[in-house]
Structure formats: C-alpha cells, structure tokens
Amino acid sequence: MKWQACAPSNIALIKYMGKIDPASNQASNPSLSYTLKKLTSTVELETASSDSDTWQAFANSDLHLTSPAITRFLNHLQTIKKTFNVKQTFTVRSQNNFPADCGLASSASSFAALTLCAVQACSELSQNPYPDQQALSALCRLGSGSACRSLFEPWALWQGDSVKALDLPEFNDLQHAIIVVSQQAKKVSSSNAHQRVLTSALYPGRPERANQRLQDFLQALDSKDWQAAFQCAWQEFWDMHALFETSQVPFGYLQADTLAALNVLRYGWEKRGDGPLVTMDAGPNIHLLFHTGQQQTRQQVIEELSQRFTVL
Ligand code: PMV
C-alpha cells in the first residue's frame, strides 16, 4: 500500500528562535509566516517488510539527506506511528521542488508533508479517525517547529499551542523571490541554533522584542503601511542574526554576497521609498515578498539584482 502527501514551505517574518521546551518544540515567542505555495515537499510512504523504516529519495529526485537528517526524519515517523499504535514498517520517499537545507525552510515543508502522509497511512491502518487541523499541526511541530505553520495560509500565526490562519487584506497574494547566495548545506542546523542563541547576551528580552514586533508588523499591514512592515521585517531578521553572531561560541550564515545584496535592497528602498519585504532564515539566502500593487517596483528590483546575483 502507498500514500502520498505534499506540503508547502513558509517564510517567517517574525521568527521562531529559541525554545522553552526542546522535546515538544515549544517556542519562546510567537511567530508569523507567509506560506510559500510554490515551494513544496512531497513524501510517499510504502508498506515494507523490513524490520525498520528506511528512507530514500524519489527515483527522479537528486535530494540527498545526511545520515542525521534521515534519522531525524524517521524518528518523526516513529513518533506518529506510536501515536496511532502502528507497528507496520515503511519505505519513506521524499523530494523537494527547491534546494534543501540552506535556509529555504525545507524542514518546514518536508516535516509537514511527512506528518500529513504518515497520519493518512496510520489512521487508515489503525482505523483511527483522521485528526483535526490543530492536532495535525501539533504533530507537525514535533518534527520541526516551523512545520506547524505550513498547514495554514496565506499567513500563519503560531502562538503557544495554537496555530491559526490569518487573512491580511491586500497582502494575501504576495509574490516571493529568493536571492540564492549559496545552495550548500548549512554548517549549523536550526535545531542547534535554537539552543545556542540562549547563550547570547542579547537573548534576554528577545521574547518581548518578538512580541512587540509582531504587534507592530500586524498594525503596519492593517494600516496598509508597507514601509513600516518592511522596517519590522528588516529589524527582525537582523535581531535573529545578531543573536547567532553573539552566541557563545558565535556562528553565522551571512556571506559576502548576502551583505552585498542586502545593501542593494536597502539602498533601493532609500532611493524609491518602496521595495519588497526582506527577510532571511538561518542561512545565507534572502527572501523577498512583493504585494500585488508593486509590479513595476518588482520588475526593477529583480532586474537590478539579477545582474549580480542568482534570483529565483
Ligand atoms: O523549524 P526549525 O526548528 O527548523 O526552526 C526554524 C527557525 C527559523 O527558520 C530560523 C525561523 C522560523 O520561524 O521559521
């Protein structure tokens, strides 16, 4: 028997960074993301006769997972199997339609897709009811915190144990672009980053800052103040990257081209008084979001950046 599920990635504008409880991926602060419907992961589960679950890439995919990443993936499947009391072993296949593990939030989509697929298989095999959206999202969260937001669109607000979809009129159909500085796997995983930021002297006050910025960001979009929203998003990713660089021992993801592209973007905003929301995950690549009223700005910004960088 076979099951397949697909889930989108998401990009946080207010970041989940730091955990209260690492075992359940309980976040130290609320986070807000925009769902990236075009960046997806697909997971397939096939019943197997082996003693344990195994992972492989889809036949037509070049996805390579490191051994710790495979273990983490299969451990999450194990967690879901336990929830449903399913003993059956599976061959797990997965693929992304975008590069994995370099700050494009592949863990969000891949753990969401695995959760959806495993829950389908396990509820069918155990003849237990299919869980509701909150329960599904809670299961996604156990695999990767950010995955719990991928089940909601266009915006997802994760606060405490609840995740909900937000509708932000005029900003529900954003266009996403990525400046790809590097597709190499990152050296410090986000799981590790969550632990290490707690050692930064800048960490005390971080949950309060994130809370305040969330309010400011929502207020900015509510009053259609795109520039104020840009400022919140800009401050927010720098806040997170400052935590990385001031951890003991410090680490970071920014590369020379990351800084060069950020300078072009900041200068562009100064010049035009307009531009995209800019944000970064735990990686060297830069995410841009344009609203539907920005066709001309979008064309200019992408054209300018494409002369020097790879823009997807
Ligand atoms: O879901 P995790 O454990 O990979 O954490 C993701 C954390 C960030 O991507 C850096 C921020 C976020 O909110 O998505």
Side-chain angles (χ1 to χ4, degrees), residues 1-7 40-50 53-65 70 73-74 77 89-96 109-118 121:
M1 291 170 84
K2 270 189 190 178
W3 296 265
Q4 216 182 74
C6 183
T40 60
S41 296
T42 304
V43 170
E44 179 179 276
L45 254 62
E46 184 173 11
T47 48
S49 49
S50 49
D53 302 316
T54 53
W55 177 85
Q56 51 184 242
F58 271 94
N60 57 351
S61 156
D62 58 357
L63 176 63
H64 173 80
L65 290 187
I70 295 173
F73 213 52
L74 295 180
L77 172 59
T89 57
F90 299 94
T91 304
V92 186
R93 296 183 188 91
S94 64
Q95 66 185 6
N96 304 320
S109 53
S110 55
F111 278 91
L114 172 62
T115 306
L116 293 177
C117 194

Side-chain angles (χ1 to χ4, degrees), residues 91-168:
T91 304
V92 186
R93 296 183 188 91
S94 64
Q95 66 185 6
N96 304 320
N97 68 355
F98 62 97
D101 214 15
C102 56
L104 301 186
S106 61
S107 74
S109 53
S110 55
F111 278 91
L114 172 62
T115 306
L116 293 177
C117 194
V119 167
Q120 268 175 35
C122 290
S123 68
E124 201 174 315
L125 292 172
S126 66
Q127 301 195 329
N128 272 313
Y130 195 78
D132 66 19
Q133 200 75 345
Q134 276 308 319
L136 271 179
S137 167
L139 285 172
C140 290
R141 192 182 97 191
L142 293 178
S144 174
S146 56
C148 73
R149 298 185 308 238
S150 276
L151 303 192
F152 301 86
E153 61 168 45
W155 295 87
L157 176 62
W158 171 20
Q159 260 174 322
D161 283 330
S162 116
V163 189
K164 63 177 181 185
L166 283 192
D167 173 29
L168 303 176

